[in-house]
Amino acid sequence: MTRTIPTKESLTVEFKSDRSRLSDRELIETVVCLANTDGGELYLGVEDDGRVTGLHPQHQNLSTLSAMIANRTNPPISVRVTAIQEEGKTIALIEVPKSTRLVATSDGLLQRRRLQADGTPQCIPFYPYEFSSRQSDLGVLDYSSLPVAGSTVADLDPLERERLRQLIERYGGDRKLLSLSDEELDGALGFVRSRDGDRIPTITGLLILGREAAIREHIPTHEVAFQLLEGTQVRVNDFYRTPMLKLFERVIEQFEVRVEEDEMQVGLFRVPVPNYDRRTFREAFVNALIHRDYTRLGAVHVRWEDYGIVISNPGGFVEGVTLDNLLVVEPRPRNPFLADAIKRIGLAERTGRGVDLIYQGLLRYGRPAPDYRRSDAYSVIVRLPGGEADLPLLRVVIEEENRRQSQLPVESLIALAQLRHERRIDTTILAQAIQRDEAIARSVLERLVEAGLVEAHGVKKGRTYTLSSQVYRELGQSADYVRQAGFDSIQQEQMVLSYVKTHGRITRQEAIELCRISQDRATRLLRKLTDAQQLKLVGQRRGAYYVIP
């Protein structure tokens, strides 16, 4: 009999033995543990090693189990309990939803779930200092907006406020802020909160304007490391705990002195080609600062390695953001107050689509897309690949952008990158790459066809796309185009001949459906095979068909 339940435990799957009747207390604690993490499925009547042993006789009636769980959790958790048959025994499937609030047992016990080093799950205590982090992840608390107990406006550095005004001018921030007084500026950007007549700095205020001593005392988690690695040697290893704007300038300086730049001629203009795009680095670095979890110890790391720059920050993706929707999900900052202030200063993309800029800054130079695959529940890690730019592809992109008088959208750049490396794609492949549905992927590709950058082959579901002959010529790979374009006709000829050998005959309509081609192309294909004496036409008009001579 085929097993229908999981074979082992995971972060969202828990097995509980019921041979000696699982106590209500342990059952409630397990439900709370799952609800405070990602929710999941609790299988009652299954051993830790996955063996099915069935329910205890006292648990055969499951109708009151849901009510018991709701009554003994705070706030009440609504679970769904289902009796299922597995290997000839009855077990209970308890489906536990992920809670958007902290959940405790009626006795006040809070637990959460985590994976151990060997990959097995365990329930551990949920400590008070972790509450803010959990609520920030869920989007129900903005830690960066909280006033800092014990701090005063004397902890804000006037020199940093002047630096802020200079950066607004340099990076094109909200110029309305420049006309405000210091007190008005602090209020407009959420740097202070009024409480009982006192003005108290917020986490955001201290991070951006705070004196270094005050930051060390009140926000000890704030730290950034810049490291330059050459093989196994660490050439630079600088750690900063300075106010955020000062820190930003120092890291950008470290970056700028190491950027190498070539030039290429495009028409009448010389175009700079850096080894790392400045805006891409800036967006990735600022993203790490504003999305990190400031309730957790650990530094934001910027590591310049031999084959790329790796930027990491404590705290995984916020609720609702995954590797599969990174390009399309609505912006969800972990620290909205801090993110808004940084955007108004001009250091980050104001639309919240900084990830798009990171992709654009890499792909337009023919480099691989940013790599987020090493990210997990505890940190976000992005690698910005280095290496030489693909100058022929860059020339194609720049010429198209000059023609359009606008930058190519990130979806178009992803499509060109896919075609550059895979030679031929369809809408399914591109839809997965741009994280959208096939209708949008088809629209992206067809617009590139209209622009003369891409050619389409076939019709309907069999439609595929390659770079156009013009682009292959720009890339200096005209022979590759001939191989790609010629592949269709050769394949279609073999498909038609194989069909006739199998079925004895083929009509034009059958050739259209078989090869997914237009009526005119099917006519030309059959005529070519007839002229080559590989097929013979029998009959006329609607009754015509083709056979092996």
Side-chain angles (χ1 to χ4, degrees):
M1 185 178 296
T2 303
R3 185 181 176 104
T4 61
I5 67 172
T7 57
K8 63 180 181 179
E9 295 178 314
S10 67
L11 194 65
T12 56
V13 173
E14 173 70 11
F15 297 152
K16 283 296 180 184
S17 173
D18 200 36
R19 287 186 297 178
S20 301
R21 190 187 183 281
L22 183 71
S23 69
D24 291 347
R25 179 186 180 89
E26 187 174 352
L27 176 62
I28 296 298
E29 290 175 358
T30 304
V31 168
V32 165
C33 181
L34 287 167
N36 279 330
T37 311
D38 289 329
E41 299 173 337
L42 167 58
Y43 292 91
L44 184 60
V46 182
E47 305 300 310
D48 288 342
D49 60 6
R51 290 183 297 114
V52 177
T53 52
L55 292 173
H56 189 276
Q58 294 182 23
H59 274 153
Q60 293 292 331
N61 183 4
L62 301 176
S63 59
T64 61
L65 199 55
S66 297
M68 187 272 289
I69 292 173
N71 289 333
R72 296 188 59 176
T73 52
N74 187 18
I77 301 175
S78 177
V79 302
R80 184 167 69 174
V81 182
T82 308
I84 58 178
Q85 295 295 316
E86 189 70 26
E87 298 179 11
K89 298 181 176 65
T90 301
I91 62 174
L93 167 58
I94 303 174
E95 297 176 73
V96 182
K98 179 178 182 177
S99 177
T100 57
R101 295 180 290 175
L102 298 179
V103 178
T105 68
S106 56
D107 297 329
L109 176 68
L110 283 97
Q111 288 190 312
R112 65 182 178 88
R113 197 165 173 83
R114 74 171 183 185
L115 294 178
Q116 301 179 84
D118 62 359
T120 59
Q122 67 174 164
C123 288
I124 61 173
F126 206 152
Y127 295 108
Y129 71 84
E130 299 174 308
F131 293 174
S132 295
S133 176
R134 171 67 174 175
Q135 291 173 312
S136 294
D137 288 345
L138 293 172
V140 297
L141 171 70
D142 182 358
Y143 180 75
S144 67
S145 71
L146 299 179
V148 180
S151 180
T152 68
V153 290
D155 291 329
L156 303 182
D157 190 341
L159 294 177
E160 293 306 309
R161 195 178 283 107
E162 181 59 31
R163 191 191 307 273
L164 183 152
R165 296 180 186 277
Q166 293 174 0
L167 289 178
I168 289 175
E169 291 187 336
R170 187 186 310 168
Y171 289 102
D174 186 351
R175 298 188 65 84
K176 295 178 183 177
L177 298 172
L178 298 176
S179 62
L180 302 180
S181 66
D182 290 349
E183 187 171 330
E184 291 171 335
L185 182 67
D186 293 348
L189 293 176
F191 292 163
V192 296
R193 286 278 185 91
S194 296
R195 178 181 290 176
D196 299 328
D198 296 327
R199 296 172 64 238
I200 303 175
T202 61
I203 295 292
T204 293
L206 273 187
L207 284 171
I208 294 179
L209 300 183
R211 300 180 189 275
E212 189 169 340
I215 293 175
R216 287 178 178 271
E217 178 183 355
H218 298 293
I219 316 177
T221 57
H222 173 56
E223 186 175 30
V224 172
F226 184 93
Q227 298 169 315
L228 176 63
L229 309 179
E230 292 181 2
T232 58
Q233 300 297 314
V234 181
R235 300 301 184 189
V236 177
N237 192 31
D238 294 338
F239 284 78
Y240 304 105
R241 290 181 177 270
T242 55
M244 192 172 287
L245 301 183
K246 183 178 181 179
L247 182 155
F248 170 81
E249 288 189 321
R250 287 188 178 179
V251 172
I252 293 297
E253 287 172 4
Q254 293 268 33
F255 171 78
E256 287 286 355
V257 299
R258 293 172 175 85
V259 171
E260 299 174 359
E261 198 169 88
D262 292 325
E263 288 186 343
M264 64 178 290
Q265 190 80 27
V266 180
L268 300 176
F269 302 98
R270 296 191 70 81
V271 178
V273 184
N275 56 340
Y276 290 100
D277 181 66
R278 291 172 172 83
R279 194 173 185 185
T280 295
F281 175 80
R282 195 180 85 195
E283 286 292 336
F285 176 55
V286 170
N287 273 357
L289 292 178
I290 63 179
H291 293 296
R292 74 150 290 173
D293 186 346
Y294 284 96
T295 68
R296 294 184 180 181
L297 290 172
V300 170
H301 281 270
V302 179
R303 294 189 297 278
W304 192 305
E305 301 177 346
D306 292 337
Y307 303 103
I309 298 176
V310 178
I311 302 175
S312 63
N313 63 266
F317 292 122
V318 297
E319 177 73 7
V321 179
T322 68
L323 290 175
D324 295 327
N325 66 10
L326 196 58
L327 280 168
V328 296
V329 69
E330 290 299 316
R332 297 182 184 181
R334 174 176 276 108
N335 303 294
F337 247 57
L338 177 61
D340 181 66
I342 292 296
K343 289 172 187 175
R344 294 186 68 184
I345 294 169
L347 302 188
E349 169 61 35
R350 301 189 73 177
T351 63
R353 300 306 311 168
V355 172
D356 288 7
L357 293 178
I358 296 171
Y359 271 77
Q360 283 179 328
L362 290 167
L363 294 174
R364 78 189 303 269
Y365 291 101
R367 298 188 176 104
D371 184 359
Y372 287 88
R373 289 175 297 177
R374 290 172 55 196
S375 302
D376 55 29
Y378 307 103
S379 62
V380 173
I381 304 171
V382 57
R383 179 176 174 273
L384 309 178
E388 295 184 2
D390 187 340
L391 297 182
L393 181 62
L394 175 60
R395 186 186 302 275
V396 169
V397 170
I398 292 175
E399 289 176 347
E400 176 61 18
E401 290 179 341
N402 289 339
R403 186 188 69 81
R404 296 161 53 102
Q405 293 297 299
S406 63
Q407 288 193 328
L408 277 174
V410 66
E411 294 85 0
S412 297
L413 291 171
I414 292 173
L416 292 174
Q418 290 270 323
L419 287 166
R420 181 75 161 120
H421 293 99
E422 299 186 24
R423 307 297 188 186
R424 181 183 294 262
I425 64 173
D426 57 20
T427 55
T428 302
I429 293 174
L430 183 62
Q432 184 176 4
I434 65 176
Q435 300 177 353
R436 294 179 181 272
D437 59 39
E438 290 194 33
I440 294 178
R442 184 176 297 105
S443 174
V444 170
L445 288 165
E446 292 298 335
R447 282 199 295 269
L448 291 173
V449 170
E450 293 172 4
L453 301 180
V454 170
E455 288 184 6
H457 308 271
V459 295
K460 298 182 179 179
K461 292 184 179 180
R463 195 169 177 85
T464 60
Y465 300 83
T466 65
L467 293 174
S468 68
S469 59
Q470 169 193 339
V471 172
Y472 270 113
R473 188 165 53 251
E474 290 281 353
L475 298 177
Q477 297 176 338
S478 297
D480 288 342
Y481 169 74
V482 173
R483 281 193 290 271
Q484 285 298 318
F487 173 79
D488 271 345
S489 58
I490 294 172
Q491 183 188 47
Q492 289 159 7
E493 289 174 13
Q494 294 303 314
M495 288 170 63
V496 168
L497 292 173
S498 177
Y499 186 93
V500 177
K501 289 176 182 177
T502 303
H503 299 281
R505 54 187 280 176
I506 191 171
T507 64
R508 185 175 62 179
Q509 184 60 38
E510 289 170 337
I512 291 172
E513 295 174 358
L514 176 67
C515 300
R516 301 288 185 182
I517 55 178
S518 66
Q519 180 173 305
D520 289 343
R521 189 161 182 179
T523 299
R524 290 196 297 271
L525 173 61
L526 293 169
R527 184 182 297 129
K528 179 181 178 181
L529 291 172
T530 302
D531 292 343
Q533 297 184 351
Q534 292 180 285
L535 290 181
K536 176 183 177 182
L537 174 62
V538 178
Q540 295 181 347
R541 297 184 181 180
R542 292 187 179 181
Y545 59 89
Y546 297 81
V547 298
I548 300 291

